[in-house]
Amino acid sequence: MTHDTQDALLAGYRRFREGHWAEARAEYEALAAQGQKPHTLIVACSDSRADPALIFDAAPGELFVVRNVANLVPPYQPDGQLHGVSAALEFGVKVLGVSRIVVMGHAYCGGVNAMLKGAPDSCRDFVAPWVAQAGPVVRMVCESFPAEESERLAEETVVRLSIENLRTFPWIAEREAAGQLTLSGLHFGIADGVLRALQGPGRFAPLD
């Protein structure tokens, strides 16, 4: 951590303690005593410009957020290996009992760009194989569209693919079929701040 970054983080922490935490102290104390009960699990990108808690103006304890490169959900694969996203899904659905899962993509996503153009040479250990799981689908969808449309189309395709993969988890599919869990997709425009929702097969439209 650089000195400048450390100072920025400490300054932010002090603002949090003096402002937000002081105002919401009773909420935090109740959450500590009673545990969390978030209503929504959000799968979002790790991108620093697309923070779900800020975008949804969420209070403490409302959202269970899973962030990774390009907001990807891999298919259900209980093989005993290390699966961070799947572990978070299992905990959120089975233990916390969320009633909604949202996959939120965003504009100017570096992970999606890597699916289209290849991962940086310096990121071959983990980023390249991670984005490769969606690369073929994304490139196939975008190949017949002009370049100026391909970026957002690719971002939307990843949201749809992640939702499809969510349904490969039997305990998600069962709860969705029983009306106990809803799945939805969103796309956040960084430059304009607009959220667009997946409505029907493949169509994203701005929310009111």
Side-chain angles (χ1 to χ4, degrees):
M1 182 184 294
T2 66
H3 182 68
D4 289 343
T5 303
Q6 186 177 32
D7 285 349
L9 289 177
L10 289 176
Y13 164 68
R14 293 186 182 108
R15 290 193 301 273
F16 166 78
R17 283 284 295 172
E18 295 168 3
H20 178 80
W21 188 85
E23 295 170 2
R25 179 171 182 170
E27 293 177 63
Y28 282 102
E29 291 175 343
L31 287 167
Q34 301 167 15
Q36 62 171 323
K37 191 63 178 175
H39 52 72
T40 298
L41 187 156
I42 297 182
V43 180
C45 184
S46 300
D47 194 294
S48 60
R49 302 165 294 177
D51 184 348
L54 287 175
I55 293 168
F56 296 105
D57 192 25
E62 288 188 330
L63 304 178
F64 189 69
V65 181
V66 184
R67 301 183 73 171
N68 63 62
V69 173
N71 43 269
L72 278 167
V73 174
Y76 179 71
Q77 192 174 9
D79 54 10
Q81 300 301 309
L82 303 178
H83 297 285
V85 174
S86 300
L89 289 170
E90 185 174 46
F91 188 80
V93 172
K94 290 186 173 183
V95 178
L96 299 178
V98 296
S99 60
R100 175 168 52 187
I101 299 178
V102 175
V103 177
M104 187 183 78
H106 67 92
Y108 311 110
C109 182
V112 174
N113 185 64
M115 296 173 197
L116 292 171
K117 301 177 182 178
D121 290 338
S122 59
C123 298
R124 294 295 172 185
D125 290 346
F126 299 103
V127 173
W130 177 254
V131 299
Q133 64 184 300
V137 173
V138 166
R139 290 191 294 272
M140 181 182 67
V141 169
C142 294
E143 65 184 3
S144 59
F145 288 83
E148 61 270 17
E149 296 179 27
S150 63
E151 187 173 13
R152 191 164 82 175
L153 180 61
E155 292 157 0
E156 293 173 351
T157 298
V158 172
V159 172
R160 291 194 298 271
L161 177 63
S162 288
I163 292 175
E164 291 173 9
N165 286 343
L166 282 170
R167 294 188 171 113
T168 66
F169 290 74
W171 28 268
I172 288 178
E174 290 165 5
R175 284 166 172 80
E176 185 186 26
Q180 300 168 344
L181 183 65
T182 61
L183 309 183
S184 56
L186 297 171
H187 180 276
F188 176 65
I190 291 174
D192 59 16
V194 174
L195 267 178
R196 298 164 62 251
L198 177 60
Q199 298 176 357
R203 189 173 69 88
F204 283 74
L207 292 173
D208 294 333

